[in-house]
Amino acid sequence: MSVETFDTHQGGHMLDASGVKRPAVAVMCEAGALFDVRYPPSGWERPMGLGAEYPLVQSGVHKGRPRHKYVVRADTEQVLGLHSHAYPETRGGYRFLADIADTTFPNSTVACTLFGVGEKVAVVQRLGEAIDLGDGDWIHPEILWTSSFNGKWATAAHNSTVRFVCQNQIVNSHSLLKVRHTVNHDNLVEMRASILEKAIYRAESIANMARILKDQTYTNGQFSDLINTLIPKNYKDQSVQTFRLASRKHDALWDYWCKERDRDQTVGPNRWQAYNAVQGAEQHVINSTVRRQVKPERALEKAINGKTPLADGAMRVLYKGEG
């Protein structure tokens, strides 16, 4: 059995990260994330060509201003969001996020993903040094910056950890901090130490957990019990569609378990490999597949939104002893 590498892994990195650290502005420009935006007021056309009507704020400091406004891409005229009059306006698309990332951790950005037509964006920065788990297994702390023009994501920093051997990415859906679009340079510099400390602490925590799990053997029978717990499959009690969907998920989990189990013949099958099999299958196949088409950005979106029930369930069983 050949050893999985970055190039041979079926799913690749969620964000197609090259591993080369560069300025965020360069990476985001290549991803098409630095488009300009405009903020036209929300209204409607009067009948018989009598012009447009815009509901206005009736009182307060914003009296007389349009009550709502759109966020529209200046290059394509596509609507990205609809907000109240108080929504802060920025220029240069997500340029403010590039400035935040480059001020906080210069020349550390490895990837950027733009969602839809630009409603949301995620940027990855790789921090510190890689952590050796032994047996050719390494993880690296990262920061995942998110923002959006549709209001779904706040501008925030999330902990993330990438495992090099299979490019699995473990994202913490709870943000480290949220920042305003207009945050100033001095505040970003002050936040840098705190973000770095928390990112490295989480990576070290994952490393400690991994070493504990690696010392505990895990058999095919135990893995079978695990996936049956995570995804019940019983043709007698389930509809045909539900049973088939469960079967496809079982197949993906078994495929990734075999890859993890056989990746290094000098290491016996263990709980760390079982966790990564589940987490990898969920990330690269189950959460990435829409109507038989693989869309890696969908898995990243689910991870940021905390919708990784299989990986979370596997962690509870394998590490915390639940279930």
Side-chain angles (χ1 to χ4, degrees), residues 4-12 165-168 256 280 284:
E4 271 189 309
T5 67
F6 176 83
D7 296 320
T8 61
H9 194 287
Q10 289 183 350
V165 71
C166 63
Q167 295 300 303
N168 284 357
Y256 274 76
H284 297 303

Side-chain angles (χ1 to χ4, degrees), residues 241-308:
Q241 183 178 4
T242 300
F243 180 77
R244 287 177 177 173
L245 179 60
S247 296
R248 287 197 294 270
K249 291 180 179 180
H250 276 228
D251 290 344
L253 291 166
W254 272 109
D255 180 44
Y256 274 76
W257 168 244
C258 291
K259 289 178 181 180
E260 283 286 342
R261 183 193 62 195
D262 300 336
R263 179 177 58 82
D264 187 350
Q265 298 290 349
T266 64
V267 179
N270 56 65
R271 287 176 177 253
W272 173 240
Q273 292 174 332
Y275 171 74
N276 278 282
V278 174
Q279 198 268 341
E282 184 173 44
Q283 173 185 311
H284 297 303
V285 179
I286 296 170
N287 280 355
S288 295
T289 305
V290 183
R291 297 183 181 88
R292 308 278 179 155
Q293 293 184 338
V294 177
K295 298 183 178 181
E297 69 276 7
R298 182 173 181 266
L300 174 61
E301 189 172 18
K302 283 181 172 287
I304 294 171
N305 291 335
K307 296 180 179 179
T308 53

Side-chain angles (χ1 to χ4, degrees), residues 89-121:
E89 298 184 8
T90 62
R91 300 300 172 186
Y94 291 110
R95 179 62 188 248
F96 69 89
L97 187 63
D99 293 340
I100 289 172
D102 280 334
T103 300
T104 311
F105 298 105
N107 297 309
S108 299
T109 304
V110 294
C112 172
T113 292
L114 200 64
F115 296 85
V117 297
E119 295 93 336
K120 295 185 285 189
V121 71

Side-chain angles (χ1 to χ4, degrees), residues 144-208:
L144 179 67
W145 294 96
T146 60
S147 192
S148 69
F149 280 123
N150 64 3
K152 298 295 185 181
W153 288 348
T155 301
H158 301 257
N159 268 324
S160 177
T161 306
V162 64
R163 182 178 180 234
F164 288 146
V165 71
C166 63
Q167 295 300 303
N168 284 357
Q169 190 176 31
I170 305 172
V171 178
N172 188 343
S173 61
H174 300 291
S175 60
L176 285 170
L177 56 88
K178 297 179 181 179
V179 298
R180 294 182 178 274
H181 294 183
T182 55
V183 63
N184 64 48
H185 180 275
D186 291 340
N187 287 341
L188 288 173
V189 172
E190 290 178 5
M191 290 190 299
R192 172 188 170 91
S194 175
I195 294 173
L196 183 60
E197 180 183 6
K198 292 176 181 178
I200 293 176
Y201 175 81
R202 181 172 186 264
E204 290 285 1
S205 297
I206 292 176
N208 292 335

Side-chain angles (χ1 to χ4, degrees), residues 19-82:
V20 178
K21 298 180 181 181
R22 296 188 294 155
V25 66
V27 177
M28 294 181 69
C29 183
E30 289 182 4
L34 300 186
F35 52 82
D36 202 356
V37 295
R38 59 188 188 88
Y39 301 87
S42 170
W44 65 89
E45 290 293 329
R46 292 175 176 175
M48 302 177 65
L50 296 178
E53 180 76 20
Y54 303 104
L56 304 178
V57 178
Q58 298 301 312
S59 62
V61 295
H62 298 297
K63 182 179 180 180
R65 295 178 58 181
R67 189 178 299 171
H68 297 93
K69 57 186 172 184
Y70 289 102
V71 184
V72 177
R73 284 189 63 150
D75 55 349
T76 65
E77 293 298 308
Q78 292 169 303
V79 175
L80 304 179
L82 175 64

